Amino acid sequence: MAAPTGEKGGYPPRLRTNTDTTTTDSERPTLESHLRDVLQRGPAQGLPPLSSSTSVLFKGLRVQGSGAGATYLQDVGKAALMPAKLVRRLLSHGREPQRTILHGIDGVVKAGDMLLVLGRPGSGCSTMLKSLAGFTKGFVGWEGVVKYNGVGIEVLRERFRGDIVYNSEGKQTSNRSTALVDEHFPHLNVEHTLKFAVETRTPHMRIDGISRPTFVERMADVLLNTLGLQHTLKTKVGNAYVHGISGGERKRVSLAETLATHSSVGYWDNPTRGLDASTSLEFIRVLRNNTRLARSTAIVALYQAGENLTIEFDHVTVLYLGRQIFFGTLSDAESHFADLGFLRKERQTIADFLTGITDPAGRRAKEGWEGRVPRGPDDFAKAWKESRYFAALQEEIKRYEEEFGDGGPQLEEYGRLQMAQKSQRQRQGSPYTINLRMQMRATLRRAWHRMRGDKVYLGATAFSAVFMSLIMGSVFVNTTHSTSGFFSKGGVIFFSVLFNALQNLAEIGMLYSQRPVVQKQKGYAMYHPFTDSLSSMFVDWPFKLLKIAAFDVIVYFMAGLKKEAGAFFIFLLVTYITSLAVSGLFRTIGAATKKVEVAMGMAGVSILAMAIYAGYIIPVPSMHPWFRWINYINPVSYAFEALMANEFHAVGAPCSFLIPSGPGYQNAVISQQVCPVTGANPGQMFVKGDDYLAASFEYYHSHLWRDIGILLAFIGFFVTTYALATEYISPAPGKGEFLIFRQGHEPESVRRALQAGEVVDDLESGASNQPLTGTTTEVSEVRGLVKSEDTFTWENISYDIPLSDGTSRRLLSNVTGYVKPGTLTALMGESGAGKTTLLNVLADRINIGTIYGSPLVNGQPPGRSFQRRTGYVQQQDLHLAESTVREALRFSARLRQPQEVPLKEKYEYVEKVIEMLEMEDYAEAVIGSPGNGLNVEQRKRTTIGVELVAKPALLLFLDEPTSGLDSQSAYTIIKFLRKLADSGQAILCTIHQPSSLLFSQFDRLLLLQMGGKTAYFGPVGNNSHDILDYFARNGAVPCPEDANPAEYILDVIGAGAGGQVERDWHEVWVGQEGEVVDEIKELVASGGREVAGGEGEEVTGGGDFAASWFEQYRVVQVRVFRHYWRSPSYIISKIFLNVMAGLFLGFTFYKEPNSVQGLQNKLFAVFMAVILAMPLMNQLQPRWAALSALYLIREKPSKMFHWSAFVLSNIIAEIPYNMFAGTLFFFPWFFAVGTWHDYHLDRAQRGAYTWLIFMLFQMWWSTFGQSIAALAPNEQTAAVLTTLFAAFVIMFNGVLQPISALVGFWHWMYYLSPFTWLVSGLLSTTLHDVAITCAPKEISIFMPPQGQTCGDYAGAFVKRMHGKILNPMATSNCEYCRFSTGDQYLSTLNMRWEDRWRDFGLLAVYILFNAMMAFVYYYLAKIRGLHSLKIAREDAPQNGGSQESSKKEG
């Protein structure tokens, strides 16, 4: 047990409720008070122990990962050769190289103890925690012994998973993002998130026998109080795209969620990332109390650990490139390395000292020991195994094994304890605490809250359903009940089923966004993943019913379908259950695949299959036998048959047209006429609906309820497959951290290793044996940088944000300060105090709310060039993942340095920055994403480099530049900033957890307390003398000699969840603020004199951008082309979808005959080719959204380039790939359908025209999809809007409803639809001058009058109308074919061969229109902020009051 802080030389702890040994009703309950209460009263009530008191043993733990530690960049060209490489590898029996991540790790952690794991990023700390917790997926293999009270890890992971939890550092936001985030459902608020976590881990036996709901309320309150989250209760958790709580608060929610599991062993991977020093210390003390009271075990990996935080741990282990170099107590660790000859620096924390040992440039040998100390990781591992501490550890391991043996009794004890916690009717072998019914209830409630929270998506889907139903109903309004309405009724039925089914396509993207959360909570043993999948599906069903009911009511009655109550409700039932079945199919595809691009490609092919083989586009009798089976497994086909039978059963439709008829046939008797409809009988004036269905589709009313039963079976099947896929198929695991190089640009060691198939690290040489993924901490000299000459000041800055209830919240309150050239200013405060908010306000990066006051540059308002004259290093390292480090820096330099600077000089400056930041070894490495590219430190250096190459002449802002770094890397970054400041750069930097050494590098400090109020602004002083003296002088307890000044300061002002202070330090500061105001006035006055003297022309001068628009476009276009070329998964998925669809459509409509049905099939072959646009657009939009997010978050605020250059470059980049993929679609489609056989002399010309207009179609759908993506706030909404607008365009092209049957009001839309001209151009070229031969069932037979031949009787009719008499000389059974040439069929569709070039030109106009709308939508939605409020800037209130002033739009 750790001694109280005061006993270890730290400063006295401040007053906190959770350090008291007793609680009262007036105090807020905390985790410690809860544990004490259960300990005191639980045994008397028969409650089981708080934990299983588990001790952990690990011996000889080795972990192997795949890959060589580095690899070559995969691009489209290399991906195309991948099949040949795979065949070559199989034939050569080669296998991927393996590398050892952990080299034999030993240790024992007793129940109630805390182990600190130290090491630099890449040392294997995360791998060690994951392996001990049993999360070994993604590793090639592992060996060694891992036991918990003698029980093997495999048994515990299977049966007692929730007793061992792993809290990860974070996950990347997407495959294309480089940021680490905490995984939560963004639309849930904090209350719902924590209550759900508590509910799923609520034990069966509870203190005082309180009910489950009461326990959930109390424990959620305990966690909220413990981690200081009370004020966030009703706020959405949010993420990078959904407004919610701050990043630090989101991290605390993650920690609270893990604490809610009540696990016996907790593995915490850098849990203090993003937290301030006080909050970090409080959390570690929470873990300390938890281990002490509940006898749980905590193993924590930290990269930056203050002294007061470190001393809470019982043991420490140090990792160096996967080798263990120490395990034992902190004092023994210091002694061990001192014995090896290493010296601890003055004011260096023990954690920094131990981590620094693993850094060749960060460790210091004693005088005279330079040649005797260990140098490489193997040397250190050898020294450790030869030490007395290693021998003591082996003895401890031996005692552990003797005490617990094979773990048999302990396994029984685990079982008894778990059964006491499990709910009733929960099976004994299950790792989950609550039973399936409770899991379903909890996940259903959460799914309901999630759906309610995403109002944008709900609104978009509801609007699209109602809007589309109104459009569709008006298109088919009052469809005639005669035979001429047969085709239209089939169209409205088919489209109703298909549209409602396709609306489910957006669910695939939603599945991928929620998958990380479900997998995390599966690891916490909260619930079976399938319960969440079923809950999200079931909660969506009532909303689907309301949406489909609204759609059906409008369409059904507007279209004039059968007005019978039974028929309507069958229509509603069938469309609804079909939507559920297709939703299950799409969800199964999403759950069973590993990448969203693959899922969208499979869904696109399935959409084509369902649409074509539903029975409407190709009737069952016309289906080729090789694809007939698709009709049997297609849920849409059963729905179409059921609804057609429902509509046409027991209906006699009067014939709308008789053959022959018209002038000269007024006196013809019905026995001498026939209705030209399949299923008609000679001599009848009407056609029975059942006969029409049987002859045309082979549908029968007797199949109606059979089809409904089959649809219900489909629902059950897909619900089952979806649940199974969610439960048993895990996301693709990562391969661990490795660098990716451009081939031909890699270091020599990498080239030799990859050619030899060896591990890169094995080829590293040198005394330090430093791996490629490591980075030295020496900072090169800073030479030739632009010096700041301007003074940046701000006075009485306040900032309000609007709330949903119409009120506002003040985040910053009258903050005053300045930054002078050549100074390094720190911005500190607890999490949520407004540090990043102030930085964003000062950097002019706020896009919502009201700002009072204004920053000044030399006493003048910042000009248009302010943002490009400053650098802003964001906390999240956002980069284009496919760019190399050098390319990213060159991109920034070309666009942000003045255009008159020669390109050669810009590139030379880039090389200078690369050298200063020590990035030469990985300058040609691809940035990638976390774990798949640069490591955390390399990524941070790249972010800083991107800003430095811009030559920020005014100021450099940095937001948490040390977040996520180890202490040595953090020191390197701050030391580099110190040298930048010494060279003349002005720097303002937020920082969370500075050590004493880091804090001493700063010149000045701006300290914020909660509410965005200033607690101090002034000099730090030598050894922090000035600021410590300020607080001591104003009544604070003096800072102890060995305490960290940064932690002391935060503690004094009451930072942290339980912080309490006796005085308001803001009020203290206000009383002494006059000196700073006077300094600012003097700085403003001197700055004004400089401007008057002509030295400050650039302060307000210059344009928005450094480069001309043409230069911006050229540079951005090259980058986007390179990005696409290096995104093989996206391009190959696009090609796959096109090739598969081309083959599928080609062989579906293989060699269609020139019959009447063949004509219609060729029409639908064209129609379905253009329908392919919908899945292709859904593939495109996530990529657009990712690139747009990068631009809006990082590049736009930096004034890198104009938004129009972004839009245009993305439009252009899609064209060549779409034309190539479209050509691969075109050839199998064009030649397999066989229309070219019917061409004669102009075969080449027709084929070329068909290809050309199809290429125009490729450009149309890409520009249309991009314009929708530009408008939509996220990719899920974009998918819904794409389905809506694409369906709108498709409906009016004359295929589903010919213009002759279209209501007059919508004729303008027929002419407005681009697909009208696309289908017209394609079909007229296909059918012109083609002779038609009717199939036998298509021939209409009638009897001529006595004594007349068929030609004599019907000749006049044939001349006036279309068609031909097949037996003109016959005197009976006259055979009439409706069309003689393809042109006659075209005329019924309002298409003509002569108009084909007009159609081509009009489609080109539509492409230009789409592109223009992409610009318009992007400007309105993203630039002007259609989805956010405008900024209102006002003058600062005088004397703390408000004043009227004019507002200007920001």
Side-chain angles (χ1 to χ4, degrees):
M1 182 185 302
T5 304
E7 297 178 17
K8 296 190 177 182
Y11 51 87
R14 63 181 180 273
L15 297 175
R16 300 186 305 164
T17 56
N18 64 345
T19 58
D20 297 335
T21 57
T22 59
T23 59
T24 65
D25 293 338
S26 62
E27 294 175 327
R28 296 174 302 176
T30 62
L31 187 59
E32 182 180 0
S33 64
H34 167 74
L35 293 176
R36 289 187 182 279
D37 185 41
V38 175
L39 278 176
Q40 291 171 1
R41 300 192 296 124
Q45 299 181 21
L47 265 64
L50 289 169
S51 78
S52 57
S53 298
T54 298
S55 298
V56 183
L57 164 71
F58 44 99
K59 183 172 68 171
L61 178 62
R62 296 175 61 88
V63 178
Q64 284 81 36
S66 62
T71 187
Y72 287 131
L73 173 68
Q74 289 295 313
D75 54 34
V76 175
K78 292 185 177 65
L81 301 175
M82 189 60 69
K85 291 182 179 179
L86 290 175
V87 171
R88 199 159 53 241
R89 178 180 293 180
L90 289 173
L91 294 176
S92 63
H93 303 288
R95 64 185 184 91
E96 192 174 11
Q98 296 181 6
R99 58 195 180 102
T100 303
I101 304 174
L102 294 180
H103 298 255
I105 310 296
D106 299 333
V108 173
V109 188
K110 295 181 180 179
D113 281 358
M114 293 177 64
L115 170 67
L116 175 62
V117 181
L118 293 177
R120 304 186 69 205
S123 292
C125 298
S126 296
T127 300
M128 175 182 167
L129 265 60
K130 289 179 181 178
S131 301
L132 293 179
F135 291 91
T136 53
K137 285 187 177 179
F139 301 128
V140 172
W142 71 279
E143 58 187 53
V145 176
V146 179
K147 290 189 175 182
Y148 293 80
N149 285 358
V151 181
I153 179 62
E154 299 87 354
V155 177
L156 260 73
R157 284 297 303 165
E158 181 182 353
R159 293 183 51 189
F160 311 104
R161 184 191 313 149
D163 215 36
I164 307 167
V165 297
Y166 169 73
N167 179 272
S168 69
E169 184 177 8
K171 294 290 185 181
Q172 63 191 81
T173 54
S174 71
N175 290 336
R176 296 169 294 279
S177 171
T178 63
L180 285 177
V181 297
D182 292 283
E183 304 142 321
H184 297 284
F185 290 115
H187 293 287
L188 284 181
N189 62 31
V190 174
E191 179 185 25
H192 293 147
T193 301
L194 291 186
K195 284 186 175 179
F196 176 83
V198 174
E199 182 178 3
T200 55
R201 298 286 292 173
T202 298
H204 176 61
M205 300 179 67
R206 298 172 292 277
I207 193 76
D208 296 331
I210 60 175
S211 65
R212 284 183 179 272
T214 304
F215 179 86
V216 171
E217 289 282 348
R218 290 186 184 178
M219 276 307 302
D221 191 41
V222 163
L223 294 172
L224 289 166
N225 292 331
T226 301
L227 291 166
L229 292 168
Q230 305 92 330
H231 62 288
T232 67
L233 193 64
K234 300 297 182 182
T235 308
K236 282 185 179 182
V237 176
N239 58 17
Y241 309 107
V242 178
H243 288 296
I245 57 179
S246 69
E249 290 165 340
R250 197 172 298 126
K251 184 66 178 180
R252 281 183 270 166
V253 170
S254 298
L255 301 178
E257 182 183 49
T258 309
L259 288 173
T261 61
H262 307 293
S263 61
S264 296
V265 182
Y267 293 93
W268 305 85
D269 193 355
N270 201 15
T272 60
R273 176 188 173 106
L275 302 180
D276 63 86
S278 290
T279 306
S280 301
L281 177 58
E282 286 195 352
F283 174 70
I284 295 300
R285 286 177 174 169
V286 167
L287 289 185
R288 177 77 275 174
N289 290 331
N290 203 24
T291 57
R292 185 176 70 248
L293 297 174
R295 288 192 54 76
S296 61
T297 306
I299 300 177
V300 186
L302 293 177
Y303 293 140
Q304 295 183 55
E307 193 69 19
N308 288 292
L309 184 151
T310 307
I311 59 179
E312 298 289 348
F313 289 87
D314 302 285
H315 295 89
V316 63
T317 187
V318 185
L319 301 184
Y320 186 3
L321 297 181
R323 284 83 168 174
Q324 185 180 40
I325 63 173
F326 185 79
F327 182 99
T329 65
L330 286 163
S331 58
D332 287 347
E334 185 174 7
S335 299
H336 170 67
F337 290 110
D339 293 343
L340 293 178
F342 293 101
L343 188 66
R344 182 176 173 185
K345 301 174 186 176
E346 185 180 357
R347 296 184 70 87
Q348 187 179 34
T349 66
I350 180 63
D352 288 356
F353 169 65
L354 295 177
T355 305
I357 291 294
T358 67
D359 181 3
R363 55 186 179 238
R364 181 191 300 175
K366 297 177 184 177
E367 186 175 353
W369 287 68
E370 290 83 359
R372 300 162 55 188
V373 296
R375 305 181 68 83
D378 291 325
D379 296 336
F380 277 94
K382 180 181 178 183
W384 153 241
K385 292 184 178 179
E386 293 174 351
S387 70
R388 65 181 185 276
Y389 304 107
F390 179 77
L393 174 62
Q394 298 307 307
E395 287 296 322
E396 183 70 23
I397 291 174
K398 185 177 180 181
R399 286 194 296 270
Y400 178 99
E401 292 176 332
E402 290 174 352
E403 178 182 357
F404 293 106
D406 60 1
Q410 288 75 24
L411 181 60
E412 295 179 4
E413 182 61 29
Y414 272 125
R416 284 193 295 270
L417 178 61
Q418 189 188 59
M419 287 308 297
Q421 294 172 338
K422 284 183 179 180
S423 63
Q424 292 180 345
R425 292 181 294 278
Q426 175 63 296
R427 57 190 179 85
Q428 183 174 357
S430 173
Y432 301 100
T433 302
I434 59 176
N435 58 39
L436 277 178
R437 179 179 60 83
M438 293 177 178
Q439 291 178 35
M440 283 298 300
R441 186 171 59 197
T443 52
L444 278 169
R445 188 184 303 111
R446 182 178 69 169
W448 168 248
H449 290 307
R450 279 166 47 197
M451 187 178 73
R452 285 180 57 204
D454 195 357
K455 293 182 175 59
V456 173
Y457 175 72
L458 288 179
T461 53
F463 169 78
S464 65
V466 174
F467 177 78
M468 204 63 223
S469 65
L470 290 170
I471 300 302
M472 186 174 169
S474 60
V475 168
F476 294 97
V477 65
N478 293 327
T479 302
T480 178
H481 295 292
S482 65
T483 56
S484 61
F486 279 3
F487 185 78
S488 295
K489 285 186 176 182
V492 72
I493 290 171
F494 171 73
F495 202 84
S496 296
V497 174
L498 192 64
F499 176 79
N500 285 303
L502 292 186
Q503 281 235 298
N504 299 298
L505 192 61
E507 294 175 10
I508 292 178
M510 296 179 67
L511 281 181
Y512 272 87
S513 65
Q514 70 188 39
R515 180 180 286 181
V517 184
V518 175
Q519 289 299 315
K520 176 188 70 172
Q521 294 177 341
K522 175 187 178 183
Y524 290 171
M526 289 184 174
Y527 54 85
H528 284 281
F530 81 83
T531 61
D532 178 80
S533 63
L534 294 182
S535 295
S536 62
M537 176 185 278
F538 294 159
V539 162
D540 206 28
W541 283 5
F543 177 70
K544 273 188 170 68
L545 178 60
L546 293 175
K547 183 179 63 176
I548 292 174
F551 179 94
D552 285 356
V553 167
I554 295 170
V555 168
Y556 192 90
F557 293 104
M558 285 188 70
L561 299 182
K562 186 186 289 185
K563 291 183 174 57
E564 296 177 7
F568 168 74
F569 284 109
I570 288 175
F571 185 88
L572 175 60
L573 172 65
V574 172
T575 52
Y576 176 59
I577 62 177
T578 305
S579 178
L580 300 187
V582 176
S583 170
L585 169 63
F586 288 157
R587 285 174 178 263
T588 298
I589 290 174
T593 50
K594 306 287 188 181
K595 291 186 176 181
V596 66
E597 293 89 351
V598 175
M600 295 306 297
M602 293 178 63
V605 173
S606 68
I607 287 170
L608 283 178
M610 286 189 293
I612 293 172
Y613 286 90
Y616 174 72
I617 291 174
I618 301 183
V620 173
S622 300
M623 293 179 183
H624 286 293
W626 51 73
F627 283 153
R628 175 69 173 87
W629 58 272
I630 298 177
N631 177 257
Y632 290 117
I633 63 170
N634 182 6
V636 177
S637 68
Y638 294 99
F640 184 66
E641 178 181 13
L643 292 181
M644 289 289 283
N646 178 60
E647 178 64 26
F648 285 93
H649 175 61
V651 170
C655 189
S656 59
F657 181 72
L658 293 172
I659 298 174
S661 60
Y665 299 93
Q666 294 88 342
N667 299 322
V669 295
I670 187 63
S671 60
Q672 298 169 355
Q673 295 175 307
V674 67
C675 189
V677 175
T678 305
N681 295 314
Q684 288 186 346
M685 290 287 293
F686 62 90
V687 177
K688 293 182 179 179
D690 293 296
D691 293 343
Y692 168 73
L693 292 181
S696 299
F697 300 97
E698 296 182 359
Y699 289 169
Y700 306 96
H701 184 262
S702 59
H703 293 172
L704 173 62
W705 290 103
R706 180 208 68 176
D707 294 336
I708 291 175
I710 292 174
L711 286 171
L712 293 173
F714 270 119
I715 294 174
F717 175 76
F718 286 128
V719 166
T720 303
T721 56
Y722 174 43
L724 291 173
T726 308
E727 183 74 13
Y728 295 109
I729 299 180
S730 300
K735 289 187 176 182
E737 203 168 76
F738 58 93
L739 291 176
I740 306 169
F741 286 94
R742 294 170 59 202
Q743 192 162 2
H745 298 268
E746 70 281 6
E748 179 63 21
S749 59
V750 175
R751 184 187 63 78
R752 288 188 285 113
L754 293 179
Q755 287 180 352
E758 298 176 5
V759 177
V760 170
D761 290 347
D762 293 342
L763 292 178
E764 291 304 312
S765 59
S768 68
N769 201 21
Q770 186 72 4
L772 192 62
T773 54
T775 305
T776 62
T777 56
E778 286 296 323
V779 180
S780 297
E781 290 299 318
V782 176
R783 304 183 304 273
L785 289 179
V786 175
K787 293 184 178 181
S788 303
E789 298 180 354
D790 304 315
T791 300
F792 184 66
T793 65
W794 61 94
E795 190 172 356
N796 290 332
I797 291 288
S798 297
Y799 175 52
D800 298 341
I801 59 168
L803 301 179
S804 57
D805 59 1
T807 61
S808 63
R809 175 187 298 168
R810 175 149 294 188
L811 299 184
L812 298 174
S813 181
N814 295 318
V815 182
T816 298
Y818 60 85
V819 181
K820 293 194 295 186
T823 60
L824 178 58
T825 303
L827 177 55
M828 279 178 53
E830 66 174 301
S831 299
K835 302 181 298 297
T836 300
T837 301
L838 177 60
L839 211 64
N840 287 332
V841 168
L842 296 179
D844 197 16
R845 290 173 176 247
I846 292 293
N847 59 4
I848 185 173
T850 305
I851 300 172
Y852 298 89
S854 180
L856 300 176
V857 180
N858 290 341
Q860 305 294 318
R864 293 169 57 193
S865 61
F866 172 76
Q867 286 175 307
R868 67 176 176 84
R869 294 183 63 236
T870 59
Y872 191 104
V873 178
Q874 294 176 310
Q875 182 175 352
Q876 293 181 333
D877 301 311
L878 296 172
H879 298 281
L880 191 65
E882 290 78 12
S883 292
T884 66
V885 173
R886 180 171 279 115
E887 288 167 351
L889 269 60
R890 286 184 171 184
F891 181 81
S892 179
R894 289 189 67 174
L895 293 178
R896 296 174 69 181
Q897 290 187 26
Q899 188 163 351
E900 56 269 18
V901 177
L903 183 61
K904 181 181 178 182
E905 185 177 327
K906 292 180 180 179
Y907 284 177
E908 288 174 349
Y909 191 77
V910 167
E911 297 307 313
K912 186 182 301 182
V913 172
I914 289 174
E915 179 186 354
M916 287 188 300
L917 287 169
E918 303 272 345
M919 299 193 296
E920 298 97 324
D921 285 343
Y922 56 90
E924 286 297 334
V926 175
I927 296 172
S929 55
N932 188 17
L934 302 185
N935 66 25
V936 177
E937 182 189 354
Q938 293 163 346
R939 198 176 305 279
K940 183 61 67 179
R941 288 174 182 250
T942 302
T943 304
I944 295 174
V946 165
E947 298 302 317
L948 287 181
V949 296
K951 291 187 175 181
L954 176 57
L955 184 65
L956 180 62
F957 297 98
L958 298 101
D959 188 15
E960 298 298 337
T962 63
S963 180
L965 302 180
D966 66 277
S967 55
Q968 291 301 307
S969 300
Y971 180 76
T972 303
I973 295 296
I974 297 301
K975 191 69 176 174
F976 179 75
L977 296 180
R978 177 70 266 167
K979 291 194 175 186
L980 285 179
D982 293 340
S983 71
Q985 183 74 56
I987 300 175
L988 179 60
C989 169
T990 66
I991 191 160
H992 267 321
Q993 303 173 40
S995 65
S996 300
L997 288 174
L998 292 189
F999 192 64
S1000 65
Q1001 300 297 317
F1002 290 93
D1003 300 302
R1004 303 184 69 83
L1005 171 68
L1006 173 56
L1007 183 64
L1008 296 181
Q1009 64 184 50
M1010 288 304 290
K1013 299 177 181 179
T1014 304
Y1016 176 80
F1017 176 72
V1020 174
N1022 187 30
N1023 287 327
S1024 308
H1025 175 270
D1026 292 357
I1027 190 170
L1028 296 180
D1029 180 66
Y1030 169 83
F1031 282 102
R1033 190 173 66 245
N1034 287 281
V1037 177
C1039 179
E1041 285 294 326
D1042 58 348
N1044 180 353
E1047 294 180 0
Y1048 162 80
I1049 292 164
L1050 290 173
D1051 198 79
V1052 165
I1053 67 169
Q1060 291 185 356
V1061 291
E1062 296 180 356
R1063 62 189 312 176
D1064 186 344
W1065 286 98
H1066 172 65
E1067 294 298 328
V1068 174
W1069 168 250
V1070 169
Q1072 306 178 40
E1073 192 177 16
E1075 296 179 9
V1076 175
V1077 174
D1078 291 339
E1079 290 180 33
I1080 290 177
K1081 289 180 179 178
E1082 176 59 30
L1083 290 171
V1084 168
S1086 62
R1089 288 193 294 271
E1090 290 179 3
V1091 173
E1095 298 179 12
E1097 291 120 345
E1098 291 190 6
V1099 172
T1100 58
D1104 286 337
F1105 304 99
S1108 66
W1109 186 91
F1110 180 76
E1111 174 68 7
Q1112 294 172 38
Y1113 166 70
R1114 185 172 62 177
V1115 175
V1116 174
Q1117 186 66 78
V1118 169
R1119 184 180 74 159
V1120 177
F1121 273 135
R1122 188 166 55 223
H1123 165 68
Y1124 271 68
W1125 181 250
R1126 294 176 183 175
S1127 304
S1129 62
Y1130 171 65
I1131 302 301
I1132 296 302
S1133 296
K1134 185 192 295 282
I1135 292 173
F1136 169 80
L1137 179 54
N1138 274 278
V1139 171
M1140 292 300 296
L1143 291 170
F1144 182 69
L1145 288 176
F1147 287 97
T1148 292
F1149 298 100
Y1150 184 69
K1151 290 185 178 180
E1152 284 294 339
N1154 292 322
S1155 61
V1156 175
Q1157 184 61 53
L1159 291 176
Q1160 184 170 312
N1161 288 350
K1162 289 179 180 179
L1163 168 66
F1164 279 113
V1166 170
F1167 178 71
M1168 293 310 300
V1170 301
I1171 287 289
L1172 184 63
M1174 295 178 70
L1176 286 170
M1177 283 188 282
N1178 279 300
Q1179 268 190 340
L1180 172 152
Q1181 287 161 341
R1183 183 156 296 268
W1184 171 286
L1187 292 173
S1188 177
L1190 175 64
Y1191 173 71
L1192 294 173
I1193 294 172
R1194 185 170 69 84
E1195 294 168 341
K1196 176 181 174 290
S1198 298
K1199 295 293 180 69
M1200 272 195 179
F1201 52 91
H1202 196 263
W1203 61 269
S1204 58
F1206 166 81
V1207 175
L1208 181 60
S1209 61
N1210 279 275
I1211 290 174
I1212 298 298
E1214 280 283 340
I1215 292 175
Y1217 293 103
N1218 290 336
M1219 292 184 69
F1220 177 74
T1223 300
L1224 294 181
F1225 170 91
F1226 173 81
F1227 282 113
W1229 171 79
F1230 179 76
F1231 289 103
V1233 174
T1235 55
W1236 59 281
H1237 283 295
D1238 303 318
Y1239 306 157
H1240 300 295
L1241 299 177
D1242 55 352
R1243 179 176 294 177
Q1245 292 90 329
R1246 288 208 211 184
Y1249 173 88
T1250 305
W1251 179 82
L1252 281 173
I1253 198 170
F1254 199 77
M1255 292 303 101
L1256 280 188
F1257 163 65
Q1258 299 299 314
M1259 288 185 273
W1260 179 88
W1261 72 253
S1262 67
T1263 53
F1264 184 81
Q1266 287 169 324
S1267 66
I1268 298 300
L1271 175 65
N1274 54 55
E1275 52 195 83
Q1276 287 84 15
T1277 306
V1280 173
L1281 293 179
T1282 297
T1283 303
L1284 169 65
F1285 290 121
F1288 189 76
V1289 168
I1290 289 168
M1291 188 179 299
F1292 291 99
N1293 62 9
V1295 176
L1296 296 178
Q1297 183 76 317
I1299 190 173
S1300 57
L1302 188 64
V1303 63
F1305 172 78
W1306 283 118
H1307 280 202
W1308 64 274
M1309 190 59 212
Y1310 167 83
Y1311 293 107
L1312 193 62
S1313 171
F1315 279 14
T1316 298
W1317 317 113
L1318 173 62
V1319 174
S1320 174
L1322 286 170
L1323 199 64
S1324 62
T1325 305
T1326 298
L1327 297 183
H1328 170 62
D1329 206 21
V1330 172
I1332 305 303
T1333 303
C1334 279
K1337 67 176 181 178
E1338 297 166 348
I1339 297 173
S1340 299
I1341 298 175
F1342 58 91
M1343 302 299 294
Q1346 187 106 14
Q1348 289 189 1
T1349 65
C1350 295
D1352 295 337
Y1353 176 57
F1357 170 80
V1358 171
K1359 289 181 180 179
R1360 190 178 73 254
M1361 304 297 292
H1362 297 146
K1364 58 184 177 181
I1365 301 295
L1366 301 181
N1367 53 348
M1369 302 307 297
T1371 57
S1372 64
N1373 294 329
C1374 299
E1375 298 179 350
Y1376 172 76
C1377 181
R1378 276 178 274 174
F1379 305 108
S1380 59
T1381 65
D1383 294 281
Q1384 292 182 353
Y1385 178 71
L1386 289 172
S1387 67
T1388 65
L1389 301 173
N1390 197 35
M1391 301 176 187
R1392 296 194 308 158
W1393 157 259
E1394 293 80 6
D1395 295 336
R1396 65 192 186 284
W1397 287 110
R1398 177 207 64 183
D1399 301 335
F1400 186 92
L1402 287 173
L1403 191 58
V1405 171
Y1406 277 105
I1407 294 170
L1408 296 177
F1409 174 78
N1410 287 342
M1412 181 185 71
M1413 293 312 297
F1415 285 93
V1416 172
Y1417 288 151
Y1418 198 78
Y1419 176 74
L1420 293 176
K1422 304 300 194 303
I1423 306 303
R1424 283 294 297 267
L1426 194 65
H1427 306 298
S1428 63
L1429 299 180
K1430 298 177 181 178
I1431 306 170
R1433 285 195 178 275
E1434 301 182 355
D1435 294 335
Q1438 296 179 356
N1439 301 322
S1442 61
Q1443 65 175 18
E1444 293 186 6
S1445 63
S1446 60
K1447 296 183 180 181
K1448 62 179 180 179
E1449 183 181 318

